[in-house]
Amino acid sequence: MITVGVIGYGYWGPNLVRNFADTAGARVGFVTDMRPARLSQVTSRYPATKVSTDYRELINDPSVDAVAIATAVSSHFDLAMATLRAGKHVLVEKPMTSTSEQAAVLIEEADRRGLVLMVDHTFVYTDAVAKIRELTQGGDLGEIYYYDSVRINLGLFQHDVNVLWDLAVHDLSIMDYVLSQSPSAVSATGLAHVAGQPENIAYMTMFFDGRLIAHVHVNWLAPVKVRRTLLGGSRRMIVFDDLEASEKVKVYDRGISVNPSPENVYQMLVGYRAGDMWAPQLGISEALHTEAQHFVECIEQKRTPRTDGRAGLRVVRLLEAATQSMAQQGRLVSLAASTPVL
Amino acid sequence: MITVGVIGYGYWGPNLVRNFADTAGARVGFVTDMRPARLSQVTSRYPATKVSTDYRELINDPSVDAVAIATAVSSHFDLAMATLRAGKHVLVEKPMTSTSEQAAVLIEEADRRGLVLMVDHTFVYTDAVAKIRELTQGGDLGEIYYYDSVRINLGLFQHDVNVLWDLAVHDLSIMDYVLSQSPSAVSATGLAHVAGQPENIAYMTMFFDGRLIAHVHVNWLAPVKVRRTLLGGSRRMIVFDDLEASEKVKVYDRGISVNPSPENVYQMLVGYRAGDMWAPQLGISEALHTEAQHFVECIEQKRTPRTDGRAGLRVVRLLEAATQSMAQQGRLVSLAASTPVL
Amino acid sequence: MITVGVIGYGYWGPNLVRNFADTAGARVGFVTDMRPARLSQVTSRYPATKVSTDYRELINDPSVDAVAIATAVSSHFDLAMATLRAGKHVLVEKPMTSTSEQAAVLIEEADRRGLVLMVDHTFVYTDAVAKIRELTQGGDLGEIYYYDSVRINLGLFQHDVNVLWDLAVHDLSIMDYVLSQSPSAVSATGLAHVAGQPENIAYMTMFFDGRLIAHVHVNWLAPVKVRRTLLGGSRRMIVFDDLEASEKVKVYDRGISVNPSPENVYQMLVGYRAGDMWAPQLGISEALHTEAQHFVECIEQKRTPRTDGRAGLRVVRLLEAATQSMAQQGRLVSLAASTPVL
Amino acid sequence: MITVGVIGYGYWGPNLVRNFADTAGARVGFVTDMRPARLSQVTSRYPATKVSTDYRELINDPSVDAVAIATAVSSHFDLAMATLRAGKHVLVEKPMTSTSEQAAVLIEEADRRGLVLMVDHTFVYTDAVAKIRELTQGGDLGEIYYYDSVRINLGLFQHDVNVLWDLAVHDLSIMDYVLSQSPSAVSATGLAHVAGQPENIAYMTMFFDGRLIAHVHVNWLAPVKVRRTLLGGSRRMIVFDDLEASEKVKVYDRGISVNPSPENVYQMLVGYRAGDMWAPQLGISEALHTEAQHFVECIEQKRTPRTDGRAGLRVVRLLEAATQSMAQQGRLVSLAASTPVL
């Protein structure tokens, strides 16, 4: 039985607590939050769980084996570091840290101590993304041509991070899991409509070696909510619409065929293929439940999580590069150059 | 009665012919196309209309008062120039020309001769865009924060121009009509998935003086067709979905309100407003019919068209700058620098 | 403080418990269910709440003031009767009872004892239906011409009631609240696709005095889920789509205008009006929360609930008549004849 | 070469003329309409086609081999009869005639003379309905449980026929082609909202021998346009949405499985299956083009059309029975009794 402590009981914390409480082999032993009112909610729902406004009590509690951190990004590094130093496993909310240097330090610390360091890239644990990965890696799509995502809504403006760190992070974590390549360079643009605040609208293009391109389009100030990702391949294409009640993933047997023109070597003939559409039936498991279970299994079986610290680092590095590019109105930022050595 | 000649009877030419034939005060006197098979279609439908495979016969025909050019972009300049030199008015398909220099030369020639030079920015003549302009210019939206458009489909790959010149041109012409400002700089990215062909996927960000940003997202290789434009203002926001059968334009009474926090001068309080949605009833006139009528009126009344050569030039200049930026993976291209003096 | 007991902790019971637990002025004192496993869930979430597998303990518990009944329809009458006889207020799940006679007996009993008898017509407490009633009663729609609802899905086949009692009951309760008239006759058709089971597909037309007609279309065996209600008036029309995330209620300024033809008195000229569409912003309160609060207020202030026993009876009477008509393949059943005297 | 004459150049006539003009082996030789203004449109588009305001000239013209009738329903019988008596083949607009007796007389006349008598059940010639028939007849759906269609819009009120004859006729013709059974009885309800006019809203249930039920739901006074047909089978189910730009036909691998309960012979266990959805790619041919070609082939090869007079009669018989039932508020009308002997 793994005893989990949860730091932060705001928006996401209650979901973590509920899911760890429902996970076989785990129990929630301790919850902390700086706001006593939040803790009284914990107590009323989970009377057996210890609470405190001081996270250090949780970290130092010998009964706690693993800690889930669901606080503001800026505090992730300190809390995760303290947890690892106390010899406990860590599950940290996305994005993993504020800087790639911090992420690298945490990875090193966890490696040295043999502890599990996992990042809560929730989408990776959905049935939809699992199906997309299966189709992509299994070759059904052919060569991958593009990943293109629109993720907009009238959102919760955040004060400490720009909209890329809040919304694009989902796409970067999906791409990290689904694609077999990492971007080599990034160009991003965006704007802050509220003076003194971070950018609330942003566009991010990622270049890869080869014929793959990715683009993520995020906005906290949109009148409608859109969550639509296109994944184009040479053989088939996927539309992933997370707002669809059913049929979230649609696979289109569409594309082009290219033949050199027999008459003119300089002219390509581009033909179009339009075939059936197919929406695979997806499971209905809650992603966070699958993820909580995976975290517990990784601890018990000393395995590397599907979304380990290195995955978290790769995503943070992209966010860093994009933020840098955005500050310079789209200037290309190479990712090779920004890679910390691990 | 204005006698119109139409050069090019491919995809768009038949629409021009049909609409000029239906326009009071106009008749279609001459149609040319290099393919005799196309011309026999003209003859079967419009037996009174002259045809030829040689556009020079049309341009030199003294009965022709005005010429509509619906050929490949690369031929626009030569055909329009020959037409103007023959003393005839010109309506040229979008994009106006292959370069901004060409556009500037045509404008000068038309000005010197007192001829009407109009560009077929069709969307400007739709009831939807007219309503959007009315709401935008009338102040209903407040300060305009962003223009954001997705225009994708499994399209007709073109050999001579990239996808920006084919699809983004629609958005640039809408923006030119609807917004009161012109972009000051552009950053674009994209990729060609077919070797030796122009880019078939592209993303284009436009910066303005002030808090306005625009983004256009185009793709010839998408499994689904999307035509959705968001126009965000400080007071209201518009969603323009051109694929909706009715309710193409929806106006959302949504946004944010920003107040300096009383406790902390460094912290802004961002509040959200969510009010009613409203879809104004739009007319059902065909845009090209309205446009054909406008062209005829401009000739008769010696007026400057709503989409004159200068509008065409502004759009070409943006496409040029975006193509240049795209070749350098998003490098910012200032529009001030690229402006030809008129 | 009203202490509420809840009988039945299956599908709906947990929602009742959660909402009464969150209602100011109320507490959940007792929950019963025949399945001990369900009760252990209650205990783990609400340790202070008494539980039992015997509903009589709940009904006889002097600390319980009011009882919510969330069991199979066939048990509603006995449980509600026992509750009333114990001098306690009742909230009973819809449909109220299996027969209109049972409903009439309960109304009489509650009246005689001065107890609140309320039926859980949940939709009546939604913000959407409140807005529809406001528009309908306020005259915005003009004369009401029709109520037309499609409510289908791959549903939970029930063994004791047909699909009308499970799904059409929602529409009948909405109509009872929104319209100012009651149907005078009903014709229904349907079929059972599983031998020996109740009808799983049904169509029900209701006639009124005057020019109003209503139709409800329900199906447990549909591949897709639809929840769409049209309310047509002489001036405006409403589309209520309960599956829309936002914009559940859309008001269309559409209709016809009828003028006697000047030339021919026998020929009417029917003209069409097509104006704007408008989607009012709706609140986001949970219907059951509003309803729980209303139940508590009716008890405290000795008021008649919005969905009292008489509303429940009217709905049961319609279901009874429709079931009778369906057994005779659409034979018209008059509602006047079937009315028990109260 | 078959020379076709078209009587009636109103809403549908121009489509017939255009398609016969494009059909190999056919030419449009004559068009009549009572309104001279309509005929001048014919002349301007088809200068070689004869025109007249008197249909008798067309019927008596020896160069005309076959006649397409696109006039008001009430005139179908007289015009078709005159055409057959003149020894010419007939294609008549749907619904075939105003009464089933008239339809039977036409069938007899055509049979006696060996002429082709075809009814313009256009939907039968769409790629979507062809695919639905293929899936239904091929056994992919299993046993057919229901046909359920919603066909509503703010329509063109008609003066001579009720909404069933205008809209439900489409569904009846699709059912006639797709299903292997004919209804044995019908119950219909409806209402006229304009005094003295035919019913503008109607609901029609059809019973079959066995476990099949059909329902058609039509309305000329709806604020939105809906064209959605569900076809439920024991193995799979179809949703046919004619307003979808692509994916008009979706096949759902969903349904129920029924097992007798091992414990209780009176209780069935109903299980649910939810599998993939699949949207077959459909052709893009115009239905009326396919139909015009079929008519010409039937004449040339002396074949019985897919939608012959007997299909037309079956549909008219259903409309007659439904109209009779509707006048009596849903009274069951048996179709066996109303069958004229052929």
Side-chain angles (χ1 to χ4, degrees), chain C:
Chain C
M1 176 66 67
I2 304 291
T3 296
V4 179
V6 176
I7 303 180
Y9 199 75
Y11 169 68
W12 197 241
N15 294 327
L16 287 167
V17 171
R18 176 170 51 80
N19 277 285
F20 276 114
D22 285 354
T23 298
R27 56 181 289 275
V28 180
F30 213 131
V31 174
T32 70
D33 195 287
M34 289 181 295
R35 296 156 295 184
R38 299 299 297 164
L39 295 177
S40 64
Q41 286 199 13
V42 176
T43 304
S44 103
R45 290 192 198 165
Y46 307 93
T49 296
K50 295 183 213 169
V51 297
S52 170
T53 55
D54 184 351
Y55 74 88
R56 286 167 301 192
E57 291 186 24
L58 183 156
I59 286 177
N60 295 324
D61 188 311
S63 75
V64 170
D65 303 304
V67 177
I69 298 169
T71 58
V73 181
S74 54
S75 63
H76 286 184
F77 175 73
D78 287 345
L79 293 170
M81 201 64 188
T83 302
L84 292 170
R85 284 184 177 148
K88 297 176 199 306
H89 308 282
V90 174
L91 171 65
V92 64
E93 195 44 48
K94 53 89 201 154
M96 184 184 180
T97 48
S98 300
T99 69
S100 54
E101 283 73 17
Q102 291 176 343
V105 170
L106 290 180
I107 291 168
E108 200 181 24
E109 187 72 23
D111 280 0
R112 213 167 42 81
R113 294 179 178 269
L115 293 168
V116 170
L117 171 59
M118 177 162 148
V119 185
D120 180 8
H121 289 171
T122 322
F123 264 103
V124 165
Y125 299 92
T126 59
D127 293 310
V129 172
K131 175 60 75 178
I132 292 169
R133 184 176 200 260
E134 179 193 321
L135 293 166
T136 306
Q137 305 271 333
D140 291 69
L141 302 191
E143 182 189 344
I144 304 302
Y145 280 167
Y146 62 82
Y147 178 101
D148 185 321
S149 203
V150 177
R151 195 174 292 276
I152 64 176
N153 53 264
L154 192 60
L156 294 177
F157 274 66
Q158 302 200 359
H159 296 291
D160 53 345
V161 293
N162 66 46
V163 66
L164 289 168
W165 292 72
D166 179 45
L167 293 179
V169 63
H170 292 298
D171 288 295
L172 303 183
S173 67
I174 294 172
M175 286 169 56
D176 188 74
Y177 182 58
V178 164
L179 303 176
S180 325
Q181 307 173 60
S182 287
S184 54
V186 60
S187 164
T189 54
L191 201 69
H193 287 104
V194 181
Q197 294 293 306
E199 289 86 351
N200 53 271
I201 188 167
Y203 305 98
M204 176 178 176
T205 300
M206 282 155 278
F207 298 94
F208 294 74
D209 297 332
R211 286 195 291 185
L212 174 57
I213 190 169
H215 187 264
V216 176
H217 174 153
V218 288
N219 187 349
W220 279 331
L221 196 56
V224 288
K225 186 171 183 177
V226 179
R227 295 281 183 270
R228 184 159 52 183
T229 304
L230 273 63
L231 195 57
S234 59
R235 295 186 55 223
R236 286 201 187 79
M237 301 185 185
I238 287 175
V239 176
F240 168 32
D241 187 338
D242 199 37
L243 301 185
E244 285 264 342
S246 52
E247 292 131 44
K248 283 181 192 296
V249 175
K250 292 182 179 159
V251 185
Y252 291 84
D253 186 14
R254 286 186 195 160
I256 51 166
S257 56
V258 181
N259 293 99
S261 160
E263 300 157 32
N264 183 338
V265 291
Y266 297 106
Q267 179 149 356
M268 290 292 180
L269 295 176
V270 178
Y272 299 90
R273 284 187 306 100
D276 295 358
M277 183 267 272
W278 164 69
Q281 174 72 9
L282 300 174
I284 52 163
S285 54
E286 185 178 353
L288 200 47
H289 185 73
T290 307
E291 184 180 337
Q293 220 157 9
H294 181 64
F295 182 54
V296 169
E297 286 167 14
C298 287
I299 293 171
E300 288 173 344
Q301 303 166 17
K302 296 189 186 303
R303 286 168 47 203
T304 302
R306 201 184 294 175
T307 53
D308 65 353
R310 283 169 176 78
L313 166 60
R314 287 190 296 269
V315 167
V316 168
R317 204 187 286 155
L318 277 166
L319 292 170
E320 240 173 16
T323 299
Q324 190 185 336
S325 175
M326 187 157 60
Q328 297 169 282
Q329 295 183 293
R331 193 179 68 76
L332 192 72
V333 174
S334 166
L335 283 153
S338 72
T339 312
V341 182
L342 284 187

Side-chain angles (χ1 to χ4, degrees), chain B residues 1-5 27-30 50 57-67 88:
Chain B
M1 175 68 67
I2 304 291
T3 296
V4 179
R27 56 181 289 276
V28 179
F30 213 131
K50 296 183 212 168
E57 292 186 23
L58 184 155
I59 285 177
N60 295 325
D61 188 312
S63 75
V64 171
D65 303 305
V67 177
K88 296 176 200 304

Side-chain angles (χ1 to χ4, degrees), chain A:
Chain A
M1 176 66 66
I2 305 291
T3 297
V4 179
V6 176
I7 303 180
Y9 200 75
Y11 170 68
W12 197 241
N15 294 328
L16 287 166
V17 171
R18 178 170 51 80
N19 277 286
F20 276 114
D22 284 354
T23 298
R27 54 181 291 275
V28 179
F30 213 131
V31 174
T32 69
D33 195 287
M34 289 181 294
R35 297 156 295 185
R38 299 298 299 163
L39 296 177
S40 65
Q41 286 199 13
V42 176
T43 303
S44 105
R45 291 194 197 164
Y46 306 94
T49 296
K50 297 183 212 170
V51 297
S52 170
T53 54
D54 183 351
Y55 74 87
R56 287 167 299 192
E57 290 186 24
L58 183 155
I59 285 177
N60 296 325
D61 188 311
S63 76
V64 170
D65 304 304
V67 177
I69 299 169
T71 57
V73 181
S74 54
S75 63
H76 286 184
F77 176 72
D78 288 344
L79 293 171
M81 201 62 188
T83 302
L84 291 170
R85 282 183 178 151
K88 296 177 200 305
H89 308 283
V90 174
L91 171 65
V92 65
E93 196 45 46
K94 53 91 202 151
M96 185 183 179
T97 49
S98 300
T99 69
S100 54
E101 283 73 15
Q102 291 175 343
V105 170
L106 289 181
I107 291 168
E108 200 180 26
E109 186 73 22
D111 280 359
R112 212 165 43 79
R113 293 179 179 269
L115 292 168
V116 170
L117 171 61
M118 176 161 148
V119 185
D120 180 8
H121 288 170
T122 322
F123 264 104
V124 165
Y125 299 92
T126 59
D127 293 310
V129 171
K131 175 60 75 178
I132 292 170
R133 183 176 201 259
E134 179 193 320
L135 293 166
T136 306
Q137 305 269 335
D140 291 69
L141 302 192
E143 181 188 344
I144 305 301
Y145 281 166
Y146 63 81
Y147 178 102
D148 184 321
S149 204
V150 177
R151 196 173 291 276
I152 64 176
N153 53 264
L154 192 60
L156 294 177
F157 274 66
Q158 302 201 358
H159 296 293
D160 53 345
V161 292
N162 65 46
V163 67
L164 289 168
W165 292 72
D166 179 46
L167 293 179
V169 63
H170 292 299
D171 288 296
L172 303 183
S173 67
I174 294 171
M175 286 169 54
D176 189 74
Y177 181 58
V178 164
L179 303 176
S180 326
Q181 307 173 59
S182 286
S184 54
V186 60
S187 163
T189 54
L191 200 70
H193 286 104
V194 181
Q197 294 293 305
E199 288 86 350
N200 54 272
I201 189 168
Y203 305 99
M204 175 176 177
T205 300
M206 283 155 277
F207 298 96
F208 294 75
D209 298 332
R211 286 195 292 186
L212 175 57
I213 190 169
H215 187 264
V216 177
H217 175 153
V218 288
N219 188 348
W220 278 331
L221 195 57
V224 288
K225 186 171 183 176
V226 179
R227 295 281 183 272
R228 185 159 52 185
T229 305
L230 272 62
L231 194 58
S234 59
R235 294 185 56 223
R236 286 201 186 79
M237 302 185 184
I238 287 175
V239 176
F240 168 32
D241 187 338
D242 200 37
L243 302 185
E244 284 265 343
S246 52
E247 293 131 45
K248 283 180 191 296
V249 175
K250 291 182 180 158
V251 186
Y252 291 84
D253 186 12
R254 287 189 193 156
I256 51 166
S257 56
V258 183
N259 293 100
S261 160
E263 299 156 34
N264 183 337
V265 291
Y266 296 107
Q267 178 148 357
M268 290 293 178
L269 294 176
V270 177
Y272 299 90
R273 284 186 309 97
D276 294 356
M277 182 266 272
W278 165 69
Q281 175 72 8
L282 300 174
I284 52 163
S285 53
E286 185 178 354
L288 199 48
H289 186 74
T290 306
E291 183 180 337
Q293 220 157 10
H294 182 63
F295 181 54
V296 169
E297 286 167 14
C298 287
I299 294 170
E300 287 173 344
Q301 304 166 18
K302 297 188 185 302
R303 286 167 47 203
T304 302
R306 202 183 294 173
T307 52
D308 65 353
R310 284 169 176 78
L313 167 59
R314 288 190 295 270
V315 167
V316 168
R317 202 187 288 154
L318 277 166
L319 292 170
E320 241 175 14
T323 299
Q324 190 186 335
S325 175
M326 187 157 60
Q328 296 168 282
Q329 295 184 293
R331 194 178 66 76
L332 193 72
V333 174
S334 166
L335 282 153
S338 71
T339 312
V341 181
L342 283 188

Side-chain angles (χ1 to χ4, degrees), chain D residues 85 232 326:
Chain D
R85 285 185 177 150
M326 187 158 60

